[in-house]
Amino acid sequence: MSADVVIAGAGPNGLMLACELSLAGVRPIVLERLPARTAENRANGLVGQVVRMLDRRGLYGRLGGGSEPPRPTPAFVFGALPLDLSALDDNPLYLLQTPQLRIEQVLEERAVELGVEIRRGHELTGLTQDAEEVVADVAGPDGPYRLRARYLVGADGGRSVTRKLTGIGFPGVTRNSTVSRTASVAVPPELVDPATGGLNVPGYGLVPPFMHHRTEHGLFVFAPFPGRSTLVTTMEWEPGAAEDDGLPPLTLEELGESVRRVLGADLPLGPATGPGPHLMRRLAGGNTRLADRFRDGRVLLAGDAAHVHSAIGGPGLNLGLQDTVNLGWKLAAEIRGWAPPGLLDGYEAERRPAAERVVMHTQAQSALIAPGEEVTALRRLFTELLGDRNVVRHIAGTMAGADVRYDMGAGDVHPLVGRWAPDLSLDTGDGTGPVRLAELTADARPLLLDLTGNASLTGEAAGWDDRVKAVTARLLGAAPGGPGGPDGSRRGSGGPGDPDGDGGSGGDGGSGEITALLLRPDCYVAWASSSPRPDSAERAALRAALARWFGAP
C-alpha cells in the first residue's frame, strides 16, 4: 500500500481528517489539485460546536482563541433577526473569528507535525476499488501515477471529483434568483458609530456590525473585523441570475450601486488598505444538495463533497469539520483491525441527520431574508417568538449543532449518553492543579473518566487498554467558558434534534453528579454514571459500551 488512506482535498476538512487519522496511528496522504493554498478567503470564522471540538484537540489557542478556554457568544443572528443569547445559562453557540486562510495554515502545520504527507499540485483523476483496496489515478507535476490505499476519502468540495468518479448522486435544488457581492473596502471613519461599532449610512441610519440587515430590497452586511480589512456585502434578488453570466469582475462602483438599491442611500466606499488578501467577489445563485450516500465501498465523502447549502449563519465548517472528527477514529479502527461490525457505516448514520438539519435551518433562514410583505409579516412573528428563552435556546442549539444526540444503543439510559461531553474541571492527583477535560482529549483516544473517588471502574477497561485511556480524577466543577455544570442540571427544551424530548439542547443535559464517563474520540458520551458506587448492572453496561464502540477486549 502507498498509504492507509488517500484524502482528496487539502482544505480544512481534508487537513483535519489527516490530523485525526495520524493521531490514531494511521498513515494518510493528502492530494490537492492547487499548487499552493488559495489566497481567497472563503470564510471569516467558525460558528458552533466545532469551536469547542478544536479546543479539545489543543488547536483553539493556535487558531487565535488566546490562552483562555472558549466562551459562548452573547449574541448572534438568525435569518437577519437578532438572537440575544445573554440570558441563556446553557448557551451552546460559540464563535471564533479566524479567517479560513489562517484555519488552513494552522491545520496544515499540525498535519505536518504529525507526519502527514501533503502533495500539492496533485489531482485525483480516476479510481478503482475492490474488496481489499482503492487504486487512485493521480495527475502530478511530473506526470500521471497511481496510489494504492485501504480507503479513499473525498474532501474535495461541492464539485467533488471523488463523488463523480464513484457515481454517487447529488440530488437537491439550484437557486438562480440571488446575487451576492462582497468586497474588502474602506469606509469614512466618521461614519462608524463609536458606541456600537455600527455604520451610520447617510440618509438611511445605523446598521449594526456583523449582522445581516434586511430591507425590502435585499440584504446588507457591515463587518469591520479587528486587524483586518472591513467587508461589505449585499445580496439582491435578481431572477435568472447565473454564475456563468460572463460579467466582468466586481468593482467598487458596482458594489456601491448595489448598496444604493438595497438601502436606498449612498455609501462612500474606497479600496481596502493594509495587508491582504483583499476580497472582491460576486456570487450568483447557489445550491442545496445532499449526497444520496456518504460511502461507496472503500470510498467515503466528507464536508462539501457530501453536502452543500446556503452559507447563511456560517454552518459549513462546523458541519464539515465535525464530519471528519466523526469519521477519523472509525476509519482508523477499521484499518487497525479492532472496529466492531458496522462501526464505519455509523458515520453516515450519525452525520446525515446533522447535515439534514443544517439544510433545514439554512433554508429557513434564506426564506426569512427574502423580499416581500409576506416575509415581513413572518419576520414580525419570529421576532415575537424570539422573546421566548426556550425558543432562543432551541434555535441556538440547532445552529451550533449542539442539539445532536447519537444513538448509543441499549445502554443509552443516562441523559448524557449520546451527547457532547460537558466541560469539566478535574483534579487528576498529579499536583499540577485543575485540569480541563479538553486537556485529556487532545490525543483523540477514547477516554474512560473515573470520578468515583476509589478508582473502582478503571479495571473494567483493562481489556481495552491498547485503545482506551483510563483516567481517575476528582471532579472540581464546570470548566470555565462552557455551558452545562457537573451536576448536569442545565437542561434544554427538547425538540426535533432531541427525539426523546428529555431536553439538553446544549448537549450537556443530565441528572445527578457525574461519577463516570466513557467518551468516544469525537467527545460524545458512550456511557455515563451518576452512581457513587456503580453496581454490577452499570459495570456490565460499561463493558457492553466498550465492546460496542471499541471492539472486543
Side-chain angles (χ1 to χ4, degrees), residues 243-529:
E243 287 193 55
D244 56 352
D245 52 16
L247 294 176
L250 178 67
T251 63
L252 285 180
E253 290 74 19
E254 180 184 337
L255 178 62
E257 292 168 359
S258 179
V259 171
R260 187 180 307 114
R261 290 191 296 268
V262 171
L263 298 182
D266 288 314
L267 174 63
L269 298 174
T273 58
H278 296 143
L279 186 62
M280 189 73 71
R281 181 177 64 199
R282 180 198 305 110
L283 293 175
N287 289 283
T288 298
R289 297 184 179 277
L290 186 62
D292 58 23
R293 60 192 189 280
F294 288 10
R295 180 184 181 186
D296 182 79
R298 292 183 171 270
V299 180
L300 299 104
L301 304 177
D304 288 356
H307 37 66
V308 295
H309 45 77
S310 168
I312 191 167
L317 287 175
N318 185 28
L319 180 61
L321 289 172
Q322 290 194 80
D323 283 352
T324 65
V325 174
N326 186 287
L327 174 59
W329 71 275
K330 295 174 180 176
L331 193 54
E334 289 283 345
I335 291 168
R336 300 192 66 185
W338 56 257
L343 181 68
L344 191 53
D345 288 331
Y347 164 61
E348 178 171 355
E350 292 183 343
R351 295 309 296 166
R352 175 177 287 276
E356 289 171 345
R357 287 189 66 73
V358 169
V359 167
M360 178 270 292
H361 79 69
T362 54
Q363 287 181 322
Q365 291 186 75
S366 296
L368 282 169
I369 64 174
E373 293 182 1
E374 297 90 346
V375 175
T376 300
L378 181 62
R379 291 175 60 82
R380 291 196 189 104
L381 175 60
F382 255 81
T383 300
E384 294 178 10
L385 293 173
L386 291 176
D388 185 320
R389 184 182 301 182
N390 286 331
V391 173
V392 173
R393 178 184 291 111
H394 181 87
I395 288 179
T398 300
M399 295 185 73
D403 60 345
V404 168
R405 184 176 188 181
Y406 295 139
D407 179 4
M408 295 291 175
D412 189 353
V413 292
H414 191 283
L416 275 176
V417 172
R419 300 194 184 283
W420 173 262
D423 292 311
L424 302 175
S425 179
L426 306 163
D427 178 3
T428 58
D430 61 1
T432 60
V435 173
R436 296 172 54 232
L437 178 62
E439 297 174 64
L440 302 178
T441 60
D443 58 4
R445 290 187 66 190
L447 173 66
L448 174 61
L449 191 60
D450 185 340
L451 306 173
T452 59
N454 56 20
S456 65
L457 290 174
T458 54
E460 303 293 346
W464 291 267
D465 57 7
D466 61 327
R467 283 153 271 170
V468 179
K469 178 172 64 175
V471 174
T472 60
R474 183 170 61 91
L475 187 62
L476 300 177
D487 62 355
S489 60
R490 297 171 180 178
R491 304 181 65 189
S493 58
D498 183 18
D500 57 5
D502 70 350
S505 66
D508 297 312
S511 61
E513 183 173 295
I514 300 167
T515 57
L517 291 173
L518 177 64
L519 270 60
R520 305 188 323 183
D522 56 2
C523 292
Y524 280 81
V525 179
W527 173 89
S529 175

Side-chain angles (χ1 to χ4, degrees), residues 53-221:
M53 186 65 247
L54 291 168
D55 177 48
R56 292 193 179 176
R57 290 295 187 264
L59 294 169
Y60 176 74
R62 293 175 65 163
L63 286 165
S67 59
E68 295 297 316
R71 298 182 183 275
T73 181
F76 201 58
V77 63
F78 178 82
L81 294 169
L83 202 59
D84 182 5
L85 306 170
S86 60
L88 299 182
D89 61 358
D90 54 354
N91 177 8
L93 196 57
Y94 288 70
L95 302 181
L96 181 58
Q97 288 187 344
T98 300
Q100 183 167 332
L101 292 176
R102 176 60 180 162
I103 295 169
E104 291 187 8
Q105 178 186 356
V106 169
L107 291 178
E108 181 172 330
E109 290 170 355
R110 178 59 174 153
V112 171
E113 289 172 5
L114 293 169
V116 175
E117 182 180 356
I118 302 171
R119 300 183 181 181
R120 293 193 175 273
H122 294 247
E123 181 178 7
L124 177 70
T125 58
L127 65 85
T128 57
Q129 62 171 313
D130 57 28
E132 302 296 329
E133 66 177 6
V134 180
V135 179
D137 295 313
V138 184
D142 299 323
Y145 65 95
R146 283 184 165 178
L147 288 173
R148 302 161 67 92
R150 295 283 299 281
Y151 289 91
L152 186 146
V153 179
D156 45 353
R159 297 176 178 173
S160 170
V161 171
T162 307
R163 189 186 63 241
K164 295 172 182 176
L165 289 172
T166 52
I168 295 175
F170 206 36
V173 295
T174 297
R175 305 181 307 277
N176 63 353
S177 58
T178 60
V179 177
S180 65
R181 298 171 174 90
T182 301
S184 303
V185 301
V187 298
E190 63 271 16
L191 298 185
V192 179
D193 179 46
T196 65
L199 187 66
N200 276 308
V201 180
Y204 181 81
L206 182 66
V207 175
F210 301 108
M211 303 286 282
H212 295 117
H213 187 76
R214 176 201 180 255
T215 74
E216 287 290 349
H217 305 287
L219 202 69
F220 177 82
V221 182

